[in-house]
Amino acid sequence: MNSNQEVIRRLSRYRNVMRKMKALGLIKVFSDNLADAVGVSPSLVRKDFSMFNLTGNKRGGYRIDDLVSKLNVLLGKDKKQKIIIVGCGKLGQALMNHNGFPRVGIRVVAGFDSDPEVLNSEAPIPILHIKKIREFIEENQIRVATLTVPEPAAQGMVDTLKKTCVKGVINFSPVSLKSSEDFLVHNMNIEQEIENLFYNIHFAETTVVKVQ
Amino acid sequence: MNSNQEVIRRLSRYRNVMRKMKALGLIKVFSDNLADAVGVSPSLVRKDFSMFNLTGNKRGGYRIDDLVSKLNVLLGKDKKQKIIIVGCGKLGQALMNHNGFPRVGIRVVAGFDSDPEVLNSEAPIPILHIKKIREFIEENQIRVATLTVPEPAAQGMVDTLKKTCVKGVINFSPVSLKSSEDFLVHNMNIEQEIENLFYNIHFAETTVVKVQ
């Protein structure tokens, strides 16, 4: 992850903490609060904010409402976050109905597949034939897609998406795809993560070697 | 991620690359090959291997078969990797049938839920009542679970699992859970990843500020 992405991730976490603080009735937040919640130093919080001209002061703190709405603009969160699901097997269909999305303002607008058995253009979230994907993307100005296609189809699908206005994908297929300058790929390889967890547990237990 | 985890992740990636090289009929591998495939320096590959007494030489390379089987032992990959799915909503059920698992030797042995409608003790992968989870874990010596439960249930479930022989979870619920010394948590928050992707795209486009 580059430093830019790290800053964005922190800003997003500050924002999420503040939304929860606001739900508790709090009005102001101090850099120390955010530092504690996110696990960074208070000076880093202040540095992140000053970098984006988000104002407050060490003693008086920041107004949560102001800061959240400024962060929303900065993060593009004020815009609707429409996504499409490419590949509507079991995992793709689970994502289509994932109840964590509406809560954070993400809306799945369509799924795409080539299997006639899963196509359903009348469903609340339609599943359309993959050959319609480019037209749909341009008409609906889609920027982000999730890829839940079989491994052999993944790279070809990315090549197709790169020719549209899609600017990034979350890739669940079991192949690591690479980001390019104007197309971001975030790989979420579930089996790789589970394997790594087993390895870490195995290492912690055997402690054959100590890595410095 | 600490340095230990980074080394483990690299070893796992070396191993996966070599399995694919072997499938192509190759017999030997050079540190330069692995460096290219994984995107690190050849000297780091050699350092990683020498740290674990994996022998080879710069000119002669390493025998793929030897190296893969040594890595398998080192990574605990020679043991069966049984997991359970805690929370059998749509995402949990998609994971139960995820076809990426068998290929890498991960076997889902049971799911758990409290909803009578999804329980099915006769299925090839049974879905059992959550009250049976501790007994099942101990009988089957389960070490790893995936958590696909609603947010309010997540921490309580981790507390329950900590009292068993489970040593780590992959958490898909939309709350960040923390690892402790003897219990590893890997958070995979899908909506957070999608949000971050939107933010990164937004940033790349607006370039209001340049972060150094």
Side-chain angles (χ1 to χ4, degrees):
Chain A
M1 199 183 297
N2 64 35
S3 65
N4 212 333
Q5 284 176 310
E6 282 168 25
V7 176
I8 293 170
R9 198 170 281 257
R10 285 201 300 275
L11 292 179
S12 155
R13 293 176 71 190
Y14 300 149
R15 176 187 158 277
N16 292 341
V17 169
M18 283 189 284
R19 286 183 57 214
K20 289 178 187 169
M21 291 173 75
K22 194 189 165 185
L24 296 175
L26 300 180
I27 291 170
K28 285 192 170 190
V29 63
F30 297 87
S31 50
D32 282 66
N33 299 140
L34 294 172
D36 289 342
V38 171
V40 297
S41 71
S43 63
L44 182 58
V45 175
R46 291 192 295 270
K47 189 178 156 213
D48 286 341
F49 285 170
S50 68
M51 187 176 281
F52 299 101
N53 299 315
L54 299 169
T55 51
N57 64 65
K58 200 172 172 177
R59 292 222 180 149
Y62 302 82
R63 287 187 60 86
I64 292 177
D65 271 345
D66 287 355
L67 205 44
V68 169
S69 57
K70 281 176 186 165
L71 282 176
N72 281 346
V73 173
L74 200 56
L75 294 169
K77 186 73 192 172
D78 51 334
K79 297 181 188 167
K80 272 221 179 80
Q81 299 190 329
K82 294 181 291 186
I83 66 170
I84 56 171
I85 307 285
V86 184
C88 296
K90 290 201 181 75
L91 185 57
Q93 290 195 36
L95 289 179
M96 289 187 83
N97 298 289
H98 186 50
N99 56 20
F101 288 157
R103 209 168 36 89
V104 295
I106 294 169
R107 192 157 66 91
V108 180
V109 291
F112 292 88
D113 209 295
S114 57
D115 178 359
E117 296 214 350
V118 301
L119 301 185
N120 182 355
S121 61
E122 305 300 319
I125 304 171
I127 301 183
L128 307 174
H129 195 280
I130 195 75
K131 71 186 177 196
K132 296 186 181 159
I133 195 168
R134 290 182 66 168
E135 187 187 338
F136 185 95
I137 288 170
E138 298 304 334
E139 273 179 12
N140 294 276
Q141 290 292 302
I142 304 299
R143 324 297 304 281
V144 167
T146 66
L147 265 193
T148 38
V149 297
E151 178 172 353
Q155 184 61 55
M157 204 58 240
V158 165
D159 295 340
T160 298
L161 294 173
K162 279 183 175 174
K163 294 174 191 148
T164 70
C165 60
V166 166
K167 295 289 174 209
V169 297
I170 304 279
N171 172 37
F172 287 91
S173 74
V175 54
S176 277
L177 302 173
K178 285 180 183 159
S179 291
S180 58
E181 202 174 322
D182 54 357
F183 194 87
L184 298 170
V185 178
H186 183 88
N187 294 299
M188 281 190 104
N189 186 326
I190 299 172
E191 47 271 34
Q192 182 69 53
E193 297 303 332
I194 293 178
E195 284 198 298
N196 286 341
L197 191 55
F198 271 107
Y199 299 162
N200 281 301
I201 291 169
H202 178 76
F203 261 59
E205 288 177 344
T206 52
T207 59
V208 174
V209 282
K210 294 276 184 198
V211 179
Q212 295 307 313
Chain B
M1 198 184 296
N2 64 37
S3 64
N4 211 333
Q5 283 176 310
E6 283 169 23
V7 177
I8 293 170
R9 196 170 281 256
R10 285 200 300 275
L11 292 179
S12 154
R13 294 176 71 190
Y14 300 148
R15 176 186 158 278
N16 292 342
V17 169
M18 284 190 285
R19 285 183 58 215
K20 288 176 186 170
M21 291 174 74
K22 193 187 165 185
L24 296 175
L26 300 181
I27 292 170
K28 284 191 170 188
V29 64
F30 298 86
S31 50
D32 281 66
N33 299 141
L34 294 172
D36 289 342
V38 171
V40 298
S41 70
S43 63
L44 182 58
V45 175
R46 291 191 294 270
K47 189 180 155 212
D48 285 341
F49 286 170
S50 68
M51 188 177 280
F52 299 100
N53 298 316
L54 300 170
T55 51
N57 63 66
K58 201 171 170 178
R59 293 224 180 147
Y62 303 82
R63 286 187 61 88
I64 292 178
D65 271 345
D66 286 355
L67 204 45
V68 168
S69 58
K70 280 175 186 165
L71 282 175
N72 280 346
V73 172
L74 200 57
L75 295 167
K77 188 69 192 174
D78 51 334
K79 297 179 188 169
K80 272 220 180 80
Q81 298 191 327
K82 294 180 292 188
I83 66 170
I84 56 171
I85 308 286
V86 184
C88 295
K90 289 200 181 77
L91 185 57
Q93 290 195 36
L95 289 179
M96 290 187 82
N97 298 290
H98 185 51
N99 56 21
F101 289 158
R103 209 168 37 88
V104 295
I106 294 169
R107 191 157 66 91
V108 179
V109 291
F112 292 88
D113 209 295
S114 57
D115 178 359
E117 296 213 350
V118 301
L119 302 184
N120 182 355
S121 61
E122 305 299 319
I125 303 171
I127 301 183
L128 308 173
H129 195 281
I130 195 77
K131 71 186 178 196
K132 294 184 182 160
I133 195 169
R134 290 182 65 169
E135 188 187 337
F136 185 94
I137 287 170
E138 299 303 334
E139 273 178 11
N140 294 277
Q141 290 291 301
I142 304 299
R143 323 297 305 281
V144 167
T146 65
L147 265 194
T148 39
V149 297
E151 179 172 355
Q155 184 61 56
M157 204 60 238
V158 164
D159 295 340
T160 299
L161 293 174
K162 279 184 176 174
K163 294 174 191 148
T164 70
C165 59
V166 167
K167 295 289 172 209
V169 296
I170 304 279
N171 173 37
F172 287 90
S173 74
V175 53
S176 277
L177 303 172
K178 286 182 181 157
S179 292
S180 58
E181 201 173 325
D182 54 356
F183 194 87
L184 297 169
V185 178
H186 183 88
N187 294 300
M188 281 190 105
N189 187 325
I190 298 172
E191 47 272 35
Q192 182 68 55
E193 297 303 332
I194 292 178
E195 285 198 298
N196 286 341
L197 191 55
F198 272 106
Y199 298 162
N200 282 302
I201 291 169
H202 177 75
F203 261 59
E205 287 177 345
T206 53
T207 60
V208 174
V209 284
K210 294 276 185 196
V211 179
Q212 297 305 316

